[in-house]
Amino acid sequence: MTEETHDVRLHVNGATYDVSVPPRRLLSDALRHDCGLTGTHVGCEHGVCGACTVLVDGRPTRSCLMFAVSAQDTEITTVEGLTNPDGSLGPVQQAFLECHGLQCGFCTPGFLTTITAGLAENPSPTRDEAREMIAGNLCRCTGYQNIVKAVERAAELGSAT
Amino acid sequence: MKPAPFAYVRPGTLEEALEALAADPGAKVLAGGQSLVPLLSMRLAAPSRLVDINGLPDLDRVRTDADGVRLGALARHADVLADADAGRVQPLLPLALANVAHATIRNRGTTVGSLVHADAAAEMPVVLRLLGGSVDVASVRGRRTIAADDLFAGPLESTLDHDEIAVEAFFPALAAGAGVGFEEIARRHGDYALCGVAALVERDGDRVTVARAGYLSVCDVPTVVDLTPALDDGLDDATLDAAADLALDALEPADDIHATADYRAQLARVLTARVLRAAYDHAGSRRAA
Ligand SMILES: Cc1cc2nc3c(=O)[nH]c(=O)nc-3n(C[C@H](O)[C@H](O)[C@H](O)COP(=O)(O)OP(=O)(O)OC[C@H]3O[C@@H](n4cnc5c(N)ncnc54)[C@H](O)[C@@H]3O)c2cc1C
Ligand code: FES
Ligand code: FES
């Protein structure tokens, strides 16, 4: 039996990808395998860990809980889209570097996308708000202290620009 | 962990969606996917076809008037939580929604989908039941309204027929002189709760005329208990304890891997007292305001 496929146009980080995928292709897999954007990481594949978080029309979304066919006509931002136009690190990425907000880096793409959207909504979070912002993402090695610091640092960097 | 193959349609009108559902007995509705996609990935469900309702027009609306709040099937938890009018007319909506998963899940998950999913560990089914709300459903056969008390058939089972789509949920407004409270205990904020309680109290001066509490994660289905008789002599530590006794008589807390039945009963007892008091005070503050 051959599986039905759908032609889907994905808009990712401002570029267009025309892919042909079976309906069961998760958006996370489409980004990684069909678009070659392996910055998006897949941990639990059932919505719990947050590693696969991307922005869909600006809103943090679990790419493992969405099918690529449903993402047609949306604007997707992955971690690859968070750098500055000249290729240097964006403010949230820079803050993670400065604050030692990562060790293995597996969870990092999900944190970076989540925090980018969080700061767009609330550019100067309190410490509690910074913690709340990342409450849906798991990190198994760095611990959250430096990640919370990175949120605060990213807010500083963001307000400076 | 990948879903089994399925066919996919994304209709542009409700009529087409209803026809697609009716034509395939193995088809399922895809709304926010925040409950369905994990079930598919773990292969706990294998529908032959998904009818994606995310392309249907006008279903994302939140409409509020003096009677209450009407949520279209595509209103995301996050949109309802952020809707100030909805929260003013029915303050229990934001109180409870803030406890539904994490913000990222709320961006995509729909409140109506959560009602139809009928998880006894979910917040909004028990809120709908406590408030006496309802769900409007459509099929090729016509439309009907299902009262909250008739919506929950069993664990993860609602009384919608296979070919029906829930188009709108109605949460009644909070009456003058009434107050609400909500609290839950979860291992981590944003997780499904070990136990959660929502309360609705109506008062006439210091007298409690109505006291009801809804329980999540305690029984197999979202359960509401009338606690008014326990508070006949007013609200104090002793009567709150009596109210918790009354509630526990009606509930059957269950053991699972997350908590023993005894621990759940203890949580239900403590939370019952807390939310009844909070709802009582809330009713008082609304009168004063
Ligand atoms: C990590 C994680 C944590 C979570 N924590 C919580 C929590 O603490 N509390 C909580 O309440 N929920 C929680 N959820 C679930 C979340 O709230 C879901 O959004 C919600 O349960 C289902 O809504 P949905 O729109 O995603 O529905 P879907 O997943 O699309 O569908 C769920 C089911 O309902 C059916 N359905 C959906 N909409 C309709 C409709 N309009 N008509 C007919 N059938 C329909 C589908 O066919 C399916 O069977 C969590 C989810 C995740 C992934
Ligand atoms: S991989 Fe998507 S949340 Fe864990
Ligand atoms: S840096 Fe390793 S899991 Fe977070």
Side-chain angles (χ1 to χ4, degrees), chain A residues 1 3-4 6 23-24 26 29 44-47 53 59-62 64-67 69-70 114 132 135-136, chain B residues 1-8 10 30 34 37-38 40 42-43 50 52 78-79 102 104-105 107-108 189:
Chain A
M1 192 187 94
E3 202 174 336
E4 78 174 46
H6 291 247
R24 61 171 162 158
L26 300 171
D29 289 338
C44 66
E45 226 168 36
H46 64 274
T53 306
R59 289 177 136 190
T61 303
R62 300 291 200 238
C64 73
L65 296 187
M66 191 167 170
F67 294 112
V69 276
S70 308
T114 304
E132 176 72 25
Chain B
M1 277 212 337
K2 307 293 175 194
F6 53 79
Y8 171 89
R10 185 183 169 100
L30 173 67
Q34 304 299 290
V37 180
L40 299 179
M42 294 182 216
R43 302 220 175 180
L50 289 189
D52 184 346
D79 297 328
H102 300 286
T104 304
I105 307 291
N107 281 341
R108 189 120 192 112
H189 176 62

Side-chain angles (χ1 to χ4, degrees), chain A residues 47, chain B residues 28-29 31-36 77 101 109-110 113-114 116-117 122-123 166 192:
Chain B
K28 252 193 169 312
V29 172
Q34 304 299 290
S35 295
L36 184 56
H77 295 306
T110 66
S114 164
V116 177
H117 192 56
E123 287 77 8
Y192 282 104

Side-chain angles (χ1 to χ4, degrees), chain B residues 2-228:
Chain B
K2 307 293 175 194
F6 53 79
Y8 171 89
V9 283
R10 185 183 169 100
T13 66
L14 182 61
E15 290 64 35
E16 287 171 70
L18 295 174
E19 275 160 28
L21 259 190
D24 182 351
K28 252 193 169 312
V29 172
L30 173 67
Q34 304 299 290
S35 295
L36 184 56
V37 180
L39 290 176
L40 299 179
S41 283
M42 294 182 216
R43 302 220 175 180
L44 295 170
S48 53
R49 179 180 308 270
L50 289 189
V51 179
D52 184 346
I53 62 171
N54 288 278
L56 301 186
D58 303 330
L59 284 185
D60 58 351
R61 274 193 291 211
V62 178
R63 289 185 295 134
T64 304
D65 61 23
D67 294 337
V69 182
R70 289 183 172 76
L71 305 180
L74 293 173
R76 316 284 166 179
H77 295 306
D79 297 328
V80 186
L81 179 58
D83 193 301
D85 285 336
R88 194 163 43 244
V89 165
Q90 183 42 266
L92 188 52
L93 285 176
L95 269 185
L97 278 165
N99 289 279
V100 175
H102 300 286
T104 304
I105 307 291
R106 293 197 294 263
N107 281 341
R108 189 120 192 112
T110 66
T111 305
V112 171
S114 164
L115 299 172
V116 177
H117 192 56
D119 191 337
E123 287 77 8
M124 300 320 284
V126 80
V127 164
L128 189 80
R129 198 159 184 195
L130 177 69
L131 297 175
S134 59
V135 171
D136 282 356
V137 303
S139 71
V140 288
R141 297 167 290 129
R143 286 194 179 233
R144 63 182 179 127
T145 299
I146 307 176
D149 280 343
D150 302 323
L151 185 61
F152 306 108
L156 297 179
E157 197 188 337
S158 73
T159 52
L160 264 71
D161 284 326
H162 154 266
D163 63 348
E164 288 179 317
I165 294 180
V167 287
E168 188 171 275
F170 173 63
F171 291 81
L174 189 60
V180 288
F182 186 93
E183 263 202 64
E184 67 175 42
I185 303 283
R187 289 215 185 271
R188 285 170 303 261
H189 176 62
D191 279 9
Y192 282 104
L194 298 173
C195 174
V197 188
L200 175 69
V201 167
E202 289 177 26
R203 51 191 278 197
D204 180 5
D206 286 346
R207 212 165 59 82
V208 174
T209 52
V210 174
R212 283 152 37 89
Y215 294 83
L216 57 111
S217 282
V218 179
C219 306
D220 278 353
V221 290
T223 304
V224 173
V225 188
D226 183 5
L227 303 176
T228 319

Side-chain angles (χ1 to χ4, degrees), chain A residues 76-159:
Chain A
I76 298 166
T77 306
T78 67
V79 66
E80 289 93 340
L82 300 183
T83 47
N84 294 324
D86 66 0
S88 61
L89 295 181
V92 186
Q93 294 170 316
Q94 183 64 31
F96 266 65
L97 174 70
E98 291 177 20
C99 300
H100 202 125
L102 66 150
Q103 287 186 33
C104 76
F106 192 86
C107 66
T108 312
F111 276 97
L112 295 175
T113 48
T114 304
I115 294 165
T116 299
L119 290 176
E121 204 178 289
N122 178 7
S124 46
T126 62
R127 176 149 296 197
D128 278 351
E129 287 166 349
R131 294 183 74 89
E132 176 72 25
M133 200 180 280
I134 60 163
N137 292 65
L138 297 179
C139 173
R140 291 281 105 139
C141 45
T142 304
Y144 300 99
Q145 306 300 331
N146 285 352
I147 298 179
V148 172
K149 277 185 209 147
V151 176
E152 293 171 331
R153 178 67 184 136
E156 276 171 29
L157 290 172
S159 65

